Amino acid sequence: MKVLLKRGAEGEIAVKFPYSEKFYEQIRKMPERRWDLTQKAWMIPCRAYDVGVLVDLFADCDIAIDPELLDRVPSLRHWVKDRRSQAISHAESGSSLGSGPKQHWDTQHRKRFLDEMKLRGFSVKTIRAYNGQVDRYMRYCAAHPAPSESSPSASRLSEYSLHLLDSQHSHAYVNQAISAVKFYLQHVGGLVESEAYLRPKKERKLPNVLAREEVMRLLQQTVNPKHRAILYLTYSSGLRVGEVVRLRLKDLDRERKTVHIRQGKGRKDRVTVLSEAAYEVVEAYLRSGYADRAGWLFPGQQEGKHLTERSVQKLFEQKLREAGIRKEVSVHSLRHSFATHLLEGGIDLRYIQELLGHQNIRTTEVYTHISVKDIRRIRSPLDWQE
């Protein structure tokens, strides 16, 4: 079957293929996918995870990719490169793609791997990410068989890590791949003793934040009651995008001025601050009749489902352009801005840690490197007067 991948809307890939019940059902399970009537194609986000799921789904198909799309999506370029090397390797050896180490990643092993993660309470996102990482590792081992090995093992992790780094993947991505493969080998592959391997040093990157004036300009640019409520709550309470879309009306306590986050990152509950100004915006939204008072505060298009995270991300990107803000920021930057502005306002770091739900204070300390509370007092030598 022939599959065509083209550039879709901003941040999306258009996927076209002849109707097949198998692939139709599979692609409908992908998060944040949508059907575009104009192009008559499925649209999926360009994130590395979604691209990995997509190419795994159509791995045995004839995939044609628009060159313009390859230029814009690095993860697709890496996949094309890997697929070509895999085809060359098997052509030289005279073997099929289904032989060799790949046989150790069959349906039974995959199910056991998923079950092991579920038993340990891994989040849905972690399960998806680990499953994709192990699948890519197995495909790499199949494409680059080691003469002395009958199956993939931890001894190849350093080799695979170097391959990922050469493919311009971030250190965080490589560390996640190592963790996923190690988990698989220990809990499914029967590895008892951990073999020596190196992890790339973690990159220390400072988050991008908006100035308070930029945040206010962004919020004032938003007119739609539902959109205003989403952005106001995200910033004023320091919420993750996955937390704001899963809010229910009962989670907002106006008397105590708190927002109850239920089962956030790490399956933890926490309580954060509820802004009076944000609650007034929420009340205006409730009066508009858009909210589902019996269920989600921000319901999605499908009955009984909350709004998707991608919808909020696209909303933020649109309002960013309308407000004329050119910074490289995402909707998660509103959470970073919340913490930074609190720190600049004199709020103790420990309180900020509690509001954000950070387990380790070192995670919260990153905002001390962004805050300009003390930097503003320092004058550049260029501004010194003789």
Side-chain angles (χ1 to χ4, degrees):
M1 184 175 74
K2 189 158 186 174
V3 180
L4 176 63
L5 305 184
K6 295 177 62 179
R7 181 185 173 192
E10 186 168 344
E12 292 182 324
I13 298 174
V15 186
K16 287 188 174 184
F17 59 93
Y19 177 77
S20 163
E21 185 174 352
K22 170 190 171 183
F23 293 117
Y24 176 79
E25 291 300 326
Q26 288 298 317
I27 207 165
R28 280 181 58 86
K29 294 178 182 178
M30 294 183 67
E32 300 173 35
R33 51 91 187 108
R34 66 181 182 87
W35 175 254
D36 190 294
L37 269 175
T38 307
Q39 296 196 45
K40 294 185 178 178
W42 287 100
M43 299 291 171
I44 69 157
C46 286
R47 296 186 301 256
Y49 162 72
D50 298 285
V51 171
V53 172
L54 184 69
V55 296
D56 289 344
L57 175 61
F58 296 109
D60 298 326
C61 300
D62 180 13
I63 302 180
I65 305 175
D66 186 350
E68 185 181 2
L69 182 62
L70 281 177
D71 292 338
R72 291 178 171 269
V73 185
S75 49
L76 263 181
R77 291 201 302 271
H78 302 325
W79 177 79
V80 169
K81 183 179 177 182
D82 289 345
R83 192 174 192 182
R84 284 173 181 165
S85 64
Q86 183 179 8
I88 293 170
S89 171
H90 285 280
E92 289 175 349
S93 63
S95 62
S96 66
L97 293 180
S99 62
K102 181 72 174 177
Q103 64 187 343
H104 294 270
W105 183 232
D106 55 19
T107 305
Q108 182 179 357
H109 284 81
R110 187 188 297 269
K111 184 180 183 306
R112 185 178 165 194
F113 179 52
L114 296 175
D115 290 343
E116 289 288 342
M117 289 189 287
K118 289 176 184 176
L119 286 171
R120 286 163 176 78
F122 285 21
S123 69
V124 174
K125 285 187 177 180
T126 302
I127 291 174
R128 288 172 180 164
Y130 272 33
N131 183 66
Q133 290 286 12
V134 173
D135 194 59
R136 284 185 282 276
Y137 174 72
M138 291 299 183
R139 284 194 278 111
Y140 172 83
C141 291
H144 308 83
S148 60
E149 281 187 342
S150 59
S151 64
S153 72
S155 62
R156 303 204 63 186
L157 268 176
S158 295
E159 172 195 334
Y160 181 60
S161 299
L162 187 60
H163 162 73
L164 292 178
L165 290 170
D166 289 342
S167 301
Q168 304 302 311
H169 286 290
S170 69
H171 288 196
Y173 181 93
V174 177
N175 276 310
Q176 184 191 68
I178 291 172
S179 298
V181 174
K182 180 183 175 183
F183 182 90
Y184 171 79
L185 292 173
Q186 288 181 337
H187 298 284
V188 181
L191 182 69
V192 178
E193 295 183 2
S194 179
E195 299 185 39
Y197 58 87
L198 295 175
R199 286 180 181 268
K201 187 176 181 179
K202 288 185 178 180
E203 299 166 311
R204 182 182 174 184
K205 295 183 178 179
L206 295 178
N208 293 327
V209 300
L210 295 170
R212 190 172 182 279
E213 295 74 16
E214 290 174 319
V215 173
M216 297 311 297
R217 193 161 83 238
L218 181 78
L219 297 178
Q220 290 165 5
Q221 190 71 36
T222 309
V223 178
N224 181 286
K226 183 176 183 178
H227 297 168
R228 279 174 65 84
I230 290 170
L231 295 182
Y232 264 78
L233 283 172
T234 303
Y235 169 69
S236 66
S237 301
L239 305 182
R240 300 180 179 91
V241 64
E243 294 169 347
V244 72
V245 297
R246 290 172 174 81
L247 283 176
R248 298 180 185 272
L249 186 58
K250 65 180 181 181
D251 298 330
L252 309 184
D253 189 334
R254 188 174 191 178
E255 296 300 320
R256 300 182 62 212
K257 296 184 178 179
T258 59
V259 179
H260 190 157
I261 307 302
R262 304 178 190 277
Q263 295 296 285
K265 187 175 181 179
R267 297 185 181 277
K268 295 180 294 185
D269 281 15
R270 78 174 191 280
V271 174
T272 185
V273 63
L274 174 62
S275 158
E276 185 66 31
Y279 193 82
E280 288 176 2
V281 170
V282 171
E283 282 193 318
Y285 159 61
L286 294 173
R287 287 194 298 269
S288 69
Y290 289 108
D292 178 8
R293 291 175 178 269
W296 304 108
L297 181 59
F298 302 114
Q301 292 183 346
Q302 295 184 19
E303 187 176 353
K305 300 285 186 179
H306 59 72
L307 191 67
T308 64
E309 295 178 22
R310 181 57 187 155
S311 297
V312 178
Q313 291 164 353
K314 290 172 70 175
L315 161 66
F316 178 81
E317 292 163 5
Q318 178 188 345
K319 296 306 170 185
L320 203 66
R321 289 192 299 269
E322 292 177 1
I325 301 172
R326 301 179 182 274
K327 288 183 177 179
E328 291 289 331
V329 290
S330 66
V331 67
H332 196 71
S333 300
L334 290 178
R335 175 176 160 89
H336 294 316
S337 302
F338 163 81
T340 305
H341 298 163
L342 284 181
L343 190 62
E344 292 174 349
I347 305 301
D348 187 271
L349 200 64
R350 290 285 182 181
Y351 290 123
I352 299 174
Q353 177 191 3
E354 289 295 323
L355 294 176
L356 294 177
H358 289 163
Q359 186 171 359
N360 194 324
I361 189 65
R362 293 181 63 185
T363 308
T364 318
E365 285 174 352
V366 69
Y367 299 108
T368 62
H369 301 287
I370 309 171
S371 171
V372 296
K373 178 179 61 173
D374 296 322
I375 294 176
R376 285 174 179 156
R377 300 175 185 174
I378 303 172
R379 295 178 63 198
S380 169
L382 189 63
D383 296 330
W384 292 353
Q385 293 182 357
E386 297 294 338

